[in-house]
Amino acid sequence: MKNVDLLLLHAPSVYDFRKHAILYGPVSDLIPSSTVFEMYPLGFLTIASYLRRQGMEVRIVNLALRMINSRRFSVPRFLAKIAKPAAIGIDLHWLPHCHGALEVARIAKEILPDTPIIMGGLSSSYFHEELITYPQVDYVLRGDSTEPPLHQLLLALRDGSDLTTIPNLTWKKAGAVQVNPYTFIPATLDYADLRPDLMVEMVLRYRDLQSVTPFNGWTKNPITTVFTVKGCAHDCVTCGSSHTTCTHLTMRDKPVFRSPASLVENMQAISRLTRAPIFLVGDLLQAGPMHAAEVLEQLRLARINNEIVFEFFTVPPTSVLQAIARSTKNWSMEFSPESHDRAVRNAQGGGEGEYDNTAMESFFQEALRQGCHRIDVFFMIGLPQQTVRSVHETIDYCEHLFALGDARLSCFISPMGPFLDPGSRGFEEPERLGYRLFARTLEEHRQLLIQPTWERILNYETRWMSRTELVDVTYAAAERLNDLKVRHGRISPRRGRKVASQIKEARALRARLDAELATGKASSAYQSLAGEISRFSMDTVCDKRELFWPRHAVNFKAKEIVRIIKRYLSGQIESPNA
């Protein structure tokens, strides 16, 4: 088999989670992946797409998922068996991967000592000068758009040419840290597309479905994602992609958007392969009403039948909802007011305080009148000025929303965890904004991730709630909201009983662990939970199945898969035996 130019590895949050006994808490209940955070970033697919156009070969391996699906899967053995890649890329985009990413890098360096290790992502960018000091890390590419600099780096490593001209690169020369200027800031996102067909090609080439699967259970409950924007016009206190963060971390003074044509073309490519929902990340209105109108008109002409999921950051005009209804017959939306309390929303910033609850409810009702299939409303715990009482009042408000009477609207609540995002205003100015931090450096966060309970893993508490209170109120709020969902028909009694049981067991385990930790000893019963304790961290604020849309009898389209297979058999996709 031809050696690949770049092997992209996605690590689990903690390595090896199969041997640790950690109560992670419900930090992943409102995302598709598990507590292992096995969902790799979309940047893997844009990197693969861009480098393929440059004539390079890229392989994606979701190590986290491989480790979930088999206790026998060995990362060292896997890396020792594969054909030596020209370079290895490891994502450290989300900070909860800082333990696993560095451990995978260490193992890769031990087995393939001459293979360059490249790291990238937002967390890599924030901590680049600390990250490069780890002996297993050779290069760090900074920014949220690194495809062309990565291509330049791979060519330079192949040819042995000068590295000083590669933008956004942090590296080591004779042991000394070198920080190249941050000059690659693209004005468009259209240069790097998401190509879903590349996932199928990798399966054919390497006979390996698991490695390219986005998260555990994706083939049964697929959901696809298209980024409409990088950067943000809003400035939420807790967000690591806020305007303030991007200004300093990715050097963007304003967001950059996909063009309507590129965006809809990408959606069409997805719809050819799968019937899965397509989630548009980012509020289309950030780019202005004309941009949103053009996207929706092109979407209307494209006649895509997949469910399209829209995200809004603030209450949109009725005309936008009407345009969505004209553009597609299958649509849903997500809205995150964060809190029912406008004062808390104002403290959080980001536009949530621009509307009152009456306007928000009118928006929901209008969307339902326009044929919206589903509205998911998300609230958060851990916000500035938010108290225990305020969290419970948010649950009261959820009951008010349920009482509006339409079962298509549901509510979710989750703790902000495990970390307050580095680069966010709350992380950079904690005392002024009411936060107390328990970790500042990359290494301090790496050590937090292997603490025994999620209360001890949290990197923050607030002036209004301690870490203990944040944990207590999370379980209490989740229990109340679960009861309300059963009472108002949002979930079945059977599903409600399952979540209630999970909450009860998680609370009991937490109490037992706290008692044992107070003595400074871990019992044999606790140690026996190694690798199994994660089940006490799942379905404890909601049943994860609530996040997914109804399944199709067949999720993927045979016609497109056959087309890709024919291309493979005709030699347009290189055989693994070549």
Side-chain angles (χ1 to χ4, degrees):
M1 186 187 297
K2 176 186 174 183
N3 293 14
V4 298
D5 296 287
L6 180 66
L7 176 65
L8 289 172
L9 301 178
H10 179 65
S13 175
V14 172
Y15 185 97
D16 184 347
F17 63 92
R18 297 175 296 189
K19 296 178 181 177
H20 285 282
I22 300 172
L23 181 63
Y24 295 104
V27 294
S28 67
D29 271 2
L30 295 190
I31 58 175
S33 62
S34 70
T35 55
V36 177
F37 290 94
E38 75 275 10
M39 186 165 63
Y40 56 79
L42 284 179
F44 271 20
L45 297 176
T46 57
I47 286 170
S49 172
Y50 183 84
L51 292 180
R52 172 64 67 85
R53 291 207 307 271
Q54 315 308 317
M56 288 189 164
E57 189 60 55
V58 178
R59 181 181 182 184
I60 294 171
V61 178
N62 191 342
L63 293 177
L65 183 57
R66 298 289 299 272
M67 294 171 74
I68 287 174
N69 287 340
S70 173
R71 295 187 67 86
R72 297 175 58 189
F73 178 80
S74 165
V75 173
R77 189 162 57 242
F78 173 81
L79 292 175
K81 286 174 59 178
I82 63 171
K84 181 182 175 182
I88 291 174
I90 300 173
D91 64 288
L92 180 48
H93 185 62
W94 299 292
L95 191 55
H97 284 97
C98 65
H99 185 278
L102 281 165
E103 283 298 292
V104 166
R106 180 186 60 79
I107 293 167
K109 182 59 71 176
E110 288 177 356
I111 294 172
L112 300 166
D114 299 325
T115 301
I117 306 291
I118 307 166
M119 299 191 76
L122 287 182
S123 294
S124 292
S125 301
Y126 185 89
F127 291 109
H128 69 107
E129 291 185 274
E130 180 182 356
L131 182 59
I132 198 65
T133 63
Y134 286 86
Q136 63 266 46
V137 180
D138 299 305
Y139 305 97
V140 180
L141 277 168
R142 315 190 305 275
D144 61 7
S145 305
T146 59
E147 293 85 1
L150 176 57
H151 179 231
Q152 294 176 50
L153 175 60
L154 294 174
L155 290 177
L157 293 174
R158 183 192 68 187
D159 301 336
S161 54
D162 182 26
L163 300 180
T164 60
T165 60
I166 298 174
N168 306 20
L169 179 67
T170 300
W171 53 296
K172 289 176 282 201
K173 182 178 182 180
V177 175
Q178 311 290 314
V179 181
N180 291 0
Y182 194 112
T183 56
F184 182 73
I185 311 171
T188 176
L189 300 179
D190 292 358
Y191 71 90
D193 202 359
L194 286 169
R195 281 186 52 193
D197 60 307
L198 286 183
M199 296 174 64
V200 180
E201 290 185 11
M202 287 183 202
V203 172
L204 294 171
R205 183 178 296 108
Y206 302 107
R207 308 292 194 268
D208 184 2
L209 173 61
Q210 287 189 69
S211 288
V212 297
T213 301
F215 57 84
N216 198 25
W218 182 79
T219 54
K220 294 181 179 179
N221 291 294
I223 184 167
T224 62
T225 306
V226 177
F227 273 94
T228 68
V229 60
K230 289 189 177 180
C232 189
H234 299 287
D235 213 11
C236 297
V237 164
T238 60
C239 182
S241 293
S242 66
H243 174 71
T244 293
T245 307
C246 292
T247 299
H248 295 96
L249 196 58
T250 63
M251 307 303 171
R252 298 190 192 278
D253 58 2
K254 60 182 179 180
V256 60
F257 302 93
R258 294 279 294 277
S259 71
S262 172
L263 180 60
V264 174
E265 183 179 351
N266 198 174
M267 296 168 69
Q268 287 177 300
I270 291 171
S271 70
R272 284 194 293 270
L273 181 62
T274 177
R275 297 176 177 85
I278 302 172
F279 179 44
L280 301 183
V281 177
D283 189 335
L284 293 176
L285 289 170
Q286 282 196 95
M290 296 299 292
H291 175 88
E294 188 175 352
V295 170
L296 294 175
E297 176 58 17
Q298 295 206 24
L299 180 59
R300 184 186 68 82
L301 296 173
R303 298 182 179 276
I304 295 171
N305 290 321
N306 301 54
E307 188 82 14
I308 310 299
V309 187
F310 295 88
E311 183 177 27
F312 292 104
F313 294 162
T314 189
V315 172
T318 298
S319 59
V320 172
L321 300 176
Q322 293 169 340
I324 291 174
R326 289 193 298 270
S327 71
T328 176
K329 62 182 180 180
N330 300 312
W331 66 285
S332 302
M333 71 177 198
E334 295 190 350
F335 195 70
S336 301
E338 312 286 30
S339 171
H340 77 289
D341 188 335
R342 193 171 182 182
V344 174
R345 294 205 296 264
N346 280 327
Q348 168 73 339
E352 289 88 348
E354 295 174 358
Y355 52 87
D356 59 23
N357 290 349
T358 300
M360 179 169 63
E361 292 163 28
S362 296
F363 156 47
F364 294 157
Q365 291 171 323
E366 181 61 30
L368 295 169
R369 279 194 293 270
Q370 294 296 332
C372 181
H373 287 175
R374 168 174 167 176
I375 300 175
D376 290 343
V377 185
F378 293 95
F379 298 98
M380 184 177 287
I381 298 171
L383 303 172
Q385 296 190 21
Q386 186 184 50
T387 63
V388 169
R389 179 177 178 179
S390 177
V391 173
H392 282 287
E393 289 173 349
T394 292
I395 303 304
D396 295 338
Y397 182 69
C398 291
E399 183 170 23
H400 168 72
L401 291 177
F402 290 159
L404 295 177
D406 198 308
R408 290 175 289 174
L409 185 154
S410 194
C411 298
F412 301 85
I413 192 165
S414 178
M416 181 177 64
F419 300 144
L420 179 64
D421 286 345
S424 67
R425 290 194 291 142
F427 191 88
E428 300 306 312
E429 305 176 86
E431 292 183 4
R432 185 178 74 82
L433 293 166
Y435 286 89
R436 178 191 174 197
L437 298 184
F438 297 95
R440 276 288 193 178
T441 68
L442 181 63
E443 182 60 26
E444 287 170 347
H445 284 92
R446 196 175 76 88
Q447 294 302 323
L448 278 185
L449 281 169
I450 53 175
Q451 296 303 304
T453 68
W454 68 284
E455 180 179 330
R456 295 176 179 228
I457 293 172
L458 289 174
N459 75 342
Y460 75 96
E461 62 185 17
T462 77
R463 187 182 304 156
W464 305 273
M465 285 191 281
S466 67
R467 286 200 287 189
T468 299
E469 289 173 316
L470 287 165
V471 172
D472 286 340
V473 78
T474 291
Y475 287 131
E479 191 170 55
R480 288 188 60 207
L481 184 56
N482 182 61
D483 289 342
L484 289 173
K485 286 180 178 180
V486 173
R487 194 185 317 159
H488 289 271
R490 268 45 177 190
I491 59 175
S492 68
R494 180 179 179 183
R495 187 169 290 185
R497 286 193 297 270
K498 175 192 172 186
V499 173
S501 175
Q502 288 289 99
I503 295 172
K504 182 179 179 180
E505 289 189 28
R507 278 176 154 170
L509 178 61
R510 178 202 171 205
R512 198 177 87 203
L513 292 180
D514 284 345
E516 292 184 2
L517 290 168
T519 68
K521 297 180 181 180
S523 69
S524 58
Y526 167 64
Q527 293 296 345
S528 70
L529 290 168
E532 302 295 334
I533 200 171
S534 63
R535 69 184 178 90
F536 297 96
S537 297
M538 298 181 68
D539 300 330
T540 52
V541 295
C542 72
D543 187 317
K544 192 177 285 288
R545 287 174 295 181
E546 292 181 54
L547 303 179
F548 299 117
W549 274 255
R551 296 182 186 180
H552 293 276
V554 180
N555 287 315
F556 299 93
K557 297 184 178 180
K559 182 178 180 180
E560 178 68 3
I561 293 174
V562 168
R563 184 187 70 81
I564 297 171
I565 292 173
K566 286 181 177 179
R567 194 170 67 189
Y568 171 77
L569 294 175
S570 69
Q572 295 181 49
I573 301 175
E574 185 181 83
S575 166
N577 298 317

